[in-house]
Amino acid sequence: MSSTAPRIEVRQESIGTTIHRLETFVARMERRYECSSEEMAEAILAGKARETAEIARWLGEFRVLTNLRNTRAAGCPAGSPGRSTR
């Protein structure tokens, strides 16, 4: 029996395409939970909401979206070793 490593597919997309994809996902989650991403993050920190796997993914993607927007606004190419957006 041959055991080969699973094939990993790498997808490249422009920063604009990534931002659009993340905006769509974040907007869908905000509609589902009927609150903004900022409000959900605050609720988690305050212990008013439970951080499920779905909410953790949502807030992680929101953080990536925010960083990409900041990177684009600063004129830095995404992935460059410029200033940190954390």
Side-chain angles (χ1 to χ4, degrees), residues 48-63:
K48 295 179 181 178
R50 190 168 59 93
E51 187 172 12
T52 64
E54 181 177 69
I55 291 173
R57 178 175 174 224
W58 167 20
L59 297 179
E61 299 286 44
F62 175 69
R63 191 174 311 114

Side-chain angles (χ1 to χ4, degrees), residues 21-39:
R21 181 175 49 78
L22 293 173
E23 286 172 339
T24 300
F25 174 76
V26 167
R28 185 170 27 124
M29 297 304 289
E30 290 177 341
R31 280 190 307 275
R32 178 180 295 169
Y33 286 90
E34 299 179 348
C35 67
S36 71
S37 299
E38 294 89 352
E39 290 169 330

Side-chain angles (χ1 to χ4, degrees), residues 4-86:
T4 59
R7 184 172 177 207
I8 298 174
E9 185 176 325
V10 176
R11 178 177 59 171
Q12 291 184 340
E13 61 187 16
S14 70
I15 188 171
T17 300
T18 303
I19 287 172
H20 179 71
R21 181 175 49 78
L22 293 173
E23 286 172 339
T24 300
F25 174 76
V26 167
R28 185 170 27 124
M29 297 304 289
E30 290 177 341
R31 280 190 307 275
R32 178 180 295 169
Y33 286 90
E34 299 179 348
C35 67
S36 71
S37 299
E38 294 89 352
E39 290 169 330
M40 180 57 80
E42 289 172 11
I44 296 292
L45 290 174
K48 295 179 181 178
R50 190 168 59 93
E51 187 172 12
T52 64
E54 181 177 69
I55 291 173
R57 178 175 174 224
W58 167 20
L59 297 179
E61 299 286 44
F62 175 69
R63 191 174 311 114
V64 171
L65 174 60
T66 301
N67 288 341
L68 287 175
R69 285 175 173 162
N70 291 340
T71 297
R72 186 166 66 176
C76 299
S80 71
R83 60 171 225 212
S84 173
T85 56
R86 286 186 194 190

